[in-house]
């Protein structure tokens, strides 16, 4: 009989805990919804800023693969969203993905400048003018601002590039 009383006591205690959790959940749900709405608003603002900025924005992984590129980068390089999306999406073992490395977008004449940016872009911002090779084969003068981002371990893993089309400025300088 004592065992039955102990079991009944346990069930009552578990029931009381469950009631308390449900009541706390009811209190927390509005706060959870508010946090969710704020995150959605923040993400919308972020997307608006990144997708409408006048410069190209590119994130490279440690190997130099393009992992993110905004629409302006596509305009500058003439690359399609599909070619970038394939490079940026994780591949599966059954279907290899074509990796797109930023080095492939740099004009051959300026590869040494690009390599110096890679060496010197940590942790300070490194700027340099170079030519990007567009998808149609033409070269476009750009100003690249590059900065590496460290992990908590201190190891630099990704490189953020801001790419400004300076072709109008260069054309003006050539006319002078």
């Amino acid at each position: 009989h004592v065992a039955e009383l102990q079991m009944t006591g346990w069930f009552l205690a578990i029931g009381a805990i469950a009631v308390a959790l449900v009541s706390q959940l009811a209190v927390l749900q509005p706060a959870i919804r508010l946090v969710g709405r704020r995150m959605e608003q923040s993400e919308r603002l972020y997307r608006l800023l990144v997708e409408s900025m006048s410069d190209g924005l590119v994130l490279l992984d440690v190997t130099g693969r393009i992992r993110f590129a905004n629409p302006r980068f596509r305009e500058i390089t003439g690359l399609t969203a599909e070619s970038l999306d394939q490079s940026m999406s994780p591949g599966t073992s059954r279907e290899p993905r074509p990796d797109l490395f930023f080095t492939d977008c740099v004009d051959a004449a300026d590869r040494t400048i690009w390599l110096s940016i890679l060496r010197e872009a940590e942790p300070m911002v490194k700027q340099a003018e170079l030519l990007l090779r567009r998808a149609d084969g033409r070269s476009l003068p750009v100003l690249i601002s590059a900065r590496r981002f460290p992990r908590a371990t201190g190891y630099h893993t990704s490189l953020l590039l801001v790419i400004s089309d300076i072709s109008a400025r260069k054309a003006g300088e050539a006319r002078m």
Side-chain angles (χ1 to χ4, degrees):
H1 190 65
V2 171
E4 285 180 18
L5 288 175
Q6 284 179 333
M7 287 300 289
T8 304
W10 279 109
F11 285 130
L12 288 173
I14 291 171
I17 290 171
V19 168
L21 286 175
V22 169
S23 67
Q24 288 300 315
L25 184 58
V27 170
L28 290 176
Q29 280 181 337
I32 292 169
R33 279 199 228 55
L34 178 63
V35 168
R37 281 193 303 272
R38 286 185 180 164
M39 287 182 69
E40 288 172 6
Q41 290 170 344
S42 177
E43 183 177 341
R44 276 195 301 273
L45 178 60
Y46 163 80
R47 285 195 179 282
L48 176 67
L49 292 171
V50 169
E51 292 181 3
S52 64
M53 62 188 290
S54 60
D55 292 324
L57 187 68
V58 180
L59 183 66
L60 307 179
D61 69 11
V62 71
T63 66
R65 270 189 214 102
I66 296 175
R67 291 298 179 210
F68 173 82
N70 72 346
R72 180 64 178 133
F73 177 73
R74 290 194 308 265
E75 291 173 20
I76 290 171
T77 59
L79 292 170
T80 64
E82 293 77 28
S83 65
L84 285 169
D85 287 346
Q86 287 176 348
S87 178
M88 294 183 295
S89 65
T92 64
S93 58
R94 286 178 283 147
E95 95 183 45
R97 72 172 189 278
D99 289 328
L100 181 60
F101 292 87
F102 189 77
T103 303
D104 299 331
C105 300
V106 177
D107 192 272
D110 284 344
R111 295 260 166 90
T112 54
I113 295 171
W114 171 240
L115 293 175
S116 75
I117 290 172
L118 286 176
R119 280 192 305 274
E120 299 169 19
E122 48 186 278
M124 302 302 290
V125 174
K126 171 70 177 170
Q127 287 189 327
E129 291 182 9
L130 55 80
L131 295 173
L132 282 189
R133 191 179 67 231
R134 291 181 38 84
D136 61 11
R138 292 183 296 134
S139 292
L140 182 74
V142 297
L143 174 67
I144 292 193
S145 300
R147 179 160 191 260
R148 289 204 183 272
F149 286 97
R151 276 194 201 162
T153 61
Y155 179 72
H156 293 89
T157 57
S158 54
L159 185 66
L160 180 69
L161 305 177
V162 177
I163 302 164
S164 304
D165 178 352
I166 58 170
S167 58
R169 187 187 88 197
K170 289 291 189 180
E173 290 172 0
R175 285 192 298 268
M176 288 186 195

